[in-house]
Amino acid sequence: MNILNFMIPIALFLGLCFLAAFIWSIHSGQLDDTETPAHRILIENDKHEENI
Amino acid sequence: MQEDYRYLDLEQFRSLYRSLQNPQKMKFFIEGIKCSKCIDKIESIKLQSSDIKNIDVNLSNQTAEVELRSAHLPFAQVASEISRLGFRPIPILSAEDNEDNWRLEAKKDLIRIGVAGFCAGNIMMFSFAIYFGLHGPMKTYFEYLQFALYLPVLTYVTWPFYKGFISGLKQRSLSIDGPMAIASFIGFAVSSWNLFRGTGSIYLDSTSGFLFLILTTRYFQKSTRYKYLKFLRPTSLAESMKARLKTENSWKWVRSDSLKPEDILIIKQGDWLPADGFLVSEQATVDLSVLDGESMPRRLQRGGSVRAGSRLLSEEIEIRVTKSGTDSFLGKLLSSVVIPSISETESSHISNLASQVLLVIVLSVAALVLISGFFYDFESQFERAFALIVLACPCAMAFGTPLAFSFSMKRAQEKGIIIKSAKVFESLANVNDLFLDKTGTITDKHWSIVNSSHKDADNYFKQLILCLEAASQHPIAYALRDNWSDLQIPRNFKLEDLRDLPSGVSGIINGTPYKFYSYIEQTEKWFGLFQNEKLIWKFQMKSALQNEAKQVVENLRALGKKIYLVSGDSVEATQAVAQELQICPSMTHAQLTPEMKEALIKSNPNSLMIGDGVNDTLALNAATVGIAVKGGVDIALKSADVLFLNNSISSLPELFHIADIARKQIRRNLIIALIYNTLGGIAALLGLINPFVAALLMPVSSLFILLSTWWGTRK
């Protein structure tokens, strides 16, 4: 059972990492608008550079 | 057509539109956004100017948020650039924009759900190991881990429940947040007690899992609700905030609430009229669709009265202001009906009452059991009380109702029925008297001329009538202007001494007295043009029944509803329609003013009124359930509870059906929850169920309700 003493903190740590990532994603506004980005991927990037 | 956006940079307007939090930001509603190309087009404007910090387009809201590098830079430039691309940016009044608040709240809720999910998931993992027979020091280790993971649940996750519980107590009512707060706290107390003394069960897994479920369903409800509120954004109001005031040789932008009577305004093509007034120019075509849902443009002649909120379709005109701001028709409309309809919406529901009663019973029984524990076997009584609170807590009951409402509202929306508040579902059950407004609701909006006394009436006659009716807002006058839109009033017509008659007008045109009014001849309604009191032309006008009207009325009768017909129109015209729909004369009311309609509705408690979004606002507001079949969403929902987007009463049986299903579902949810709670409560009291099984069964009941609701309202 010693292996558990090692693995449980790791499992919890990984879980915390995901939780942190989730909170970060909310704060950075990733879930504010779930529709527009799906369309934005279709926009060609090259055009922007031409305009600059 | 290029619009003028320079007003955006005048201080008086800036303060209206820019974001309250960040003065560098302004949000626009963009007419014409459809696809990904549009996003790109608008967002690449930021590459053209170094003034622009960012442009953020939101496709689902059809908005664009513009952020400049400094608060003093011009917004007008960006707006006209967007409009040059073929879109119509409309600035959103920052006070009316509730999106930022919603986002903030949603963020908080999501983080809380995330934390609850993380803690509950991990607690469950450890508790599962214990169920499968883990024992010894490892078991204690796992239990302490659960304890540690529950601490954020006890404090941070349960926080809104504590708050709701306490604010409920302050208002002397038991909030449904109460048992959750108590369950969370007692679950923790009992578990830690058992943990520290080394025997007994730990209930942290199911308590946290349950809180996670409740938070998730609450978030789901809130976001469904917000999606409805989005409809209420009054763009038409924002549009009529600006006015072009005529100055000596040009014009200047002013805010429409600073206008005074007799001011002369310049209205350009596409502008929204900022105030009520009279047409100074020769003629104009206006679109009143925001006010009454009528999509056909209206033609007005010189001297015709115009209303704030309509939109000019023809070339530039000038108007003389009569009323502005809150005195205008639009302003009055919005201010007179807003307050009552909002204050009514958040009324309490049956299930809330039921769960309140149940809550009181459960909590007092639990308290009794707990007190008895002081005299006899404290631990077992404590566990029984806890199991009772957890199992019999009417959470499933409390959330079953809003859940059924949100599902049903969503379904109604898919069918083109916008429902302002869930209260409608309950009110519809008690409604027996249906008041149908005739004009525009069950008859078509368009009149046509029939039975003319001259086969091809002289245009001169028609011009005379147009001249007499130029200022009239009566539906017949609109119908005539529409019918004879190819005619103009000749410039040499001079109208004097215009007077209103009981059912028409009289006036002197170029020295000759004319009258135009409706009269009854052999029980039929005729319109006659009289020259020197002598009839020179007569004709009849008819409006047809809407195709589905007859079927709908029959369907409603089959549901056992009493159908009344109300109208501002003449007795004969109303009776004719009533006869066709087989509505008996005693239930037909004609020649009613808006105030009389309101009084009639008020004298019939539990009535449903279906009518026009604008002319019938008073009656719609007075009715138990008011349904608008016309009008812009924002205005119609200010006075009515329901709006039919397809502008036809054919949605009415559908609405009854949906409400019926919603109520049945609520009843089913209540019964499921009641049986579940009662059986569970008794079992808990008898000590048949230990607190752990109880806490495990609680989310199951919520899940059961969720599935049942989804199944019951799926079609």
Side-chain angles (χ1 to χ4, degrees):
Chain A
M1 291 297 239
N2 275 342
I3 188 74
L4 281 179
N5 290 331
F6 177 65
M7 286 188 72
I8 284 165
I10 289 190
L12 281 176
F13 177 72
L14 278 177
L16 271 177
C17 286
F18 281 111
L19 181 65
F22 176 68
I23 292 172
W24 170 78
S25 78
I26 287 169
H27 277 304
S28 67
Q30 286 185 32
L31 296 169
D32 287 352
D33 179 6
T34 45
E35 197 186 335
T36 323
H39 292 265
R40 220 171 248 147
I41 191 107
L42 300 170
I43 300 166
E44 286 182 50
N45 282 336
D46 319 352
K47 226 180 81 195
H48 283 265
E49 277 146 33
E50 275 168 37
N51 284 346
I52 295 167
Chain B
M1 177 181 57
Q2 195 67 32
E3 278 190 57
D4 188 344
Y5 286 99
R6 275 174 296 173
Y7 69 93
L8 285 179
D9 292 317
L10 300 173
E11 192 45 45
Q12 44 177 343
F13 287 101
R14 270 201 169 205
S15 52
L16 274 181
Y17 296 125
R18 66 183 169 202
S19 158
L20 300 171
Q21 287 89 14
N22 184 349
Q24 284 153 259
K25 280 186 181 174
M26 196 179 281
K27 199 187 271 170
F28 296 90
F29 179 79
I30 312 267
E31 240 177 58
I33 290 195
K34 277 179 225 80
C35 59
S36 47
K37 266 211 162 129
C38 309
I39 307 172
D40 185 35
K41 269 189 186 169
I42 294 173
E43 290 190 347
S44 46
I45 291 174
K46 66 182 164 217
L47 303 170
Q48 295 169 8
S49 161
S50 56
D51 292 352
I52 308 167
K53 195 169 173 194
N54 197 20
I55 299 182
D56 194 18
V57 174
N58 185 320
L59 197 63
S60 47
N61 292 351
Q62 296 191 22
T63 55
E65 196 172 47
V66 176
E67 187 180 1
L68 300 180
R69 290 202 188 275
S70 140
H72 307 288
L73 291 165
F75 282 103
Q77 195 194 336
V78 187
S80 40
E81 199 57 42
I82 296 174
S83 89
R84 205 181 56 81
L85 291 170
F87 304 99
R88 267 195 89 230
I90 302 163
I92 293 172
L93 289 170
S94 44
E96 298 276 359
D97 188 28
N98 50 13
E99 199 186 336
D100 287 343
N101 292 337
W102 157 246
R103 271 193 199 172
L104 220 67
E105 204 184 328
K107 274 181 186 176
K108 275 187 193 163
D109 286 352
L110 279 173
I111 291 175
R112 196 162 267 126
I113 291 172
V115 172
F118 167 78
C119 295
N122 281 295
I123 290 175
M124 274 182 201
M125 271 207 325
F126 296 123
S127 69
F128 265 65
I130 298 171
Y131 304 150
F132 289 118
L134 188 73
H135 53 84
M138 212 56 182
K139 182 183 174 216
T140 321
Y141 173 39
F142 274 24
E143 281 173 348
Y144 274 99
L145 275 173
Q146 290 184 44
F147 177 77
L149 280 166
Y150 193 78
L151 289 177
V153 177
L154 181 74
T155 50
Y156 174 67
V157 174
T158 326
W159 183 245
F161 296 110
Y162 296 140
K163 248 171 65 180
F165 182 39
I166 290 169
S167 73
L169 283 184
K170 274 183 191 158
Q171 289 161 27
R172 287 160 186 248
S173 80
L174 265 178
S175 148
I176 194 63
D177 288 336
M180 296 178 214
I182 295 176
S184 173
F185 190 78
I186 295 198
F188 173 77
V190 175
S191 305
S192 352
W193 168 251
N194 287 346
L195 181 63
F196 292 130
R197 69 198 176 111
T199 58
S201 311
I202 308 282
Y203 325 107
L204 300 176
D205 48 351
S206 3
T207 321
S208 58
F210 165 73
L211 288 169
F212 169 67
L213 261 179
I214 287 288
L215 280 174
T216 314
T217 33
R218 279 200 178 178
Y219 177 76
F220 177 65
Q221 278 167 32
K222 265 197 213 166
S223 65
T224 326
R225 214 183 119 79
Y226 171 71
K227 276 176 198 149
Y228 282 94
L229 288 178
K230 251 183 12 189
F231 270 105
L232 297 166
R233 178 175 292 161
T235 44
S236 46
L237 257 187
E239 284 272 17
S240 43
M241 277 309 295
K242 58 184 206 282
R244 292 180 167 96
L245 183 67
K246 192 177 180 184
T247 56
E248 259 169 59
N249 38 25
S250 178
W251 53 267
K252 61 173 186 186
W253 283 117
V254 292
R255 259 166 76 162
S256 60
D257 43 9
S258 65
L259 290 174
K260 284 177 288 296
E262 299 302 309
D263 279 349
I264 300 280
L265 302 181
I266 304 232
I267 314 287
K268 299 207 173 186
Q269 194 169 30
D271 276 358
W272 295 73
L273 269 56
D276 293 355
F278 283 107
L279 188 60
V280 177
S281 308
E282 211 47 54
Q283 59 169 297
T285 309
V286 293
D287 170 16
L288 284 164
S289 58
V290 170
L291 292 176
D292 62 10
E294 170 71 86
S295 50
M296 285 284 287
R298 310 262 173 95
R299 293 175 68 85
L300 293 164
Q301 308 282 6
R302 179 165 25 119
S305 65
V306 287
R307 281 166 173 180
S310 45
R311 195 171 166 190
L312 183 68
L313 299 174
S314 51
E315 297 287 311
E316 181 177 320
I317 55 164
E318 288 182 18
I319 64 166
R320 184 187 300 276
V321 175
T322 49
K323 283 165 184 166
S324 66
T326 47
D327 292 332
S328 75
F329 178 70
L330 181 72
K332 258 195 205 134
L333 188 71
L334 292 173
S335 59
S336 69
V337 287
V338 169
I339 303 128
S341 30
I342 287 178
S343 60
E344 273 170 40
T345 50
E346 297 297 332
S347 76
S348 61
H349 301 301
I350 327 161
S351 60
N352 227 333
L353 200 73
S355 56
Q356 285 261 323
V357 173
L358 201 69
L359 249 176
V360 174
I361 297 174
V362 167
L363 287 182
S364 31
V365 172
L368 279 177
V369 172
L370 203 60
I371 291 167
S372 76
F374 287 107
F375 307 102
Y376 151 82
D377 190 7
F378 182 76
E379 202 203 318
S380 110
Q381 295 302 83
F382 192 88
E383 286 204 348
R384 281 178 193 196
F386 177 63
L388 181 70
I389 290 177
V390 166
L391 198 64
C393 122
C395 317
M397 184 177 281
F399 99 63
T401 304
L403 198 73
F405 281 147
S406 343
F407 273 66
S408 303
M409 280 166 90
K410 210 169 150 198
R411 220 189 110 211
Q413 194 192 17
E414 283 161 13
K415 309 236 172 191
I417 303 169
I418 306 285
I419 295 167
K420 186 164 72 177
S421 95
K423 207 185 110 223
V424 170
F425 292 124
E426 285 164 6
S427 318
L428 276 175
N430 306 323
V431 160
N432 278 317
D433 301 333
L434 309 189
F435 290 84
L436 309 181
D437 182 52
K438 183 177 83 74
T439 314
T441 309
I442 54 173
T443 56
D444 262 329
K445 302 141 202 162
H446 305 293
W447 278 270
S448 45
I449 294 178
V450 289
N451 301 334
S452 168
S453 63
H454 296 54
K455 251 273 170 307
D456 294 300
D458 194 19
N459 278 347
Y460 181 66
F461 290 168
K462 294 180 181 173
Q463 284 167 337
L464 288 172
I465 295 173
L466 281 179
C467 181
L468 287 168
E469 292 274 355
S472 172
Q473 291 282 356
H474 193 273
I476 292 292
Y478 281 118
L480 292 173
R481 282 194 283 265
D482 285 340
N483 268 305
W484 302 331
S485 56
D486 49 331
L487 295 176
Q488 285 190 5
I489 304 170
R491 287 202 164 258
N492 56 10
F493 274 22
K494 243 185 89 199
L495 177 66
E496 289 162 322
D497 198 26
L498 181 70
R499 277 163 207 237
D500 278 329
L501 300 175
S503 55
V505 284
S506 76
I508 297 169
I509 298 174
N510 295 345
T512 319
Y514 286 97
K515 277 183 181 170
F516 176 68
Y517 58 84
S518 64
Y519 62 100
I520 308 301
E521 191 180 288
Q522 289 162 351
T523 74
E524 305 239 345
K525 186 180 182 179
W526 289 84
F527 292 90
L529 178 66
F530 299 81
Q531 186 177 37
N532 292 322
E533 303 293 328
K534 212 181 111 228
L535 181 71
I536 53 171
W537 183 33
K538 65 173 187 176
F539 59 88
Q540 282 187 300
M541 297 196 80
K542 274 256 161 71
S543 59
L545 270 185
Q546 272 189 16
N547 295 333
E548 323 81 16
K550 224 170 157 177
Q551 187 60 42
V552 169
V553 169
E554 266 167 42
N555 286 349
L556 292 172
R557 247 193 223 116
L559 290 173
K561 310 286 176 197
K562 278 199 263 173
I563 316 256
Y564 295 79
L565 188 68
V566 292
S567 179
D569 209 344
S570 72
V571 177
E572 297 72 31
T574 314
Q575 289 293 6
V577 174
Q579 209 164 18
E580 222 171 317
L581 294 173
Q582 296 174 329
I583 297 172
C584 72
S586 63
M587 288 156 90
T588 309
H589 302 269
Q591 284 180 329
L592 299 178
T593 61
E595 288 78 17
M596 284 157 76
K597 283 185 190 171
E598 185 191 15
L600 180 69
I601 299 287
K602 275 193 175 153
S603 65
N604 279 276
N606 292 330
S607 55
L608 178 146
M609 168 83 193
I610 175 161
D612 196 290
V614 173
N615 295 334
D616 297 326
T617 41
L618 286 174
L620 287 178
N621 207 35
T624 315
V625 179
I627 301 177
V629 287
K630 287 164 146 197
V633 173
D634 46 353
I635 293 172
L637 285 190
K638 294 269 181 187
S639 55
D641 306 301
V642 180
L643 171 68
F644 290 167
L645 289 179
N646 60 4
N647 298 350
S648 145
I649 71 164
S650 57
S651 299
L652 194 52
E654 188 76 50
L655 177 67
F656 273 107
H657 182 64
I658 292 175
D660 205 37
I661 288 188
R663 280 194 313 272
K664 273 189 190 142
Q665 187 56 49
I666 286 164
R667 214 169 305 143
R668 204 174 305 142
N669 286 352
L670 279 176
I671 291 170
I672 293 175
L674 205 66
I675 293 177
Y676 198 96
N677 285 344
T678 319
L679 289 184
I682 292 170
L685 278 180
L686 295 176
L688 296 175
I689 294 182
N690 68 26
F692 163 69
V693 179
L696 201 68
L697 284 174
M698 187 163 58
V700 174
S701 80
S702 302
L703 199 69
F704 201 57
I705 297 259
L706 186 73
L707 283 175
S708 149
T709 311
W710 171 78
W711 181 256
T713 56
R714 76 195 182 283
K715 60 169 193 266

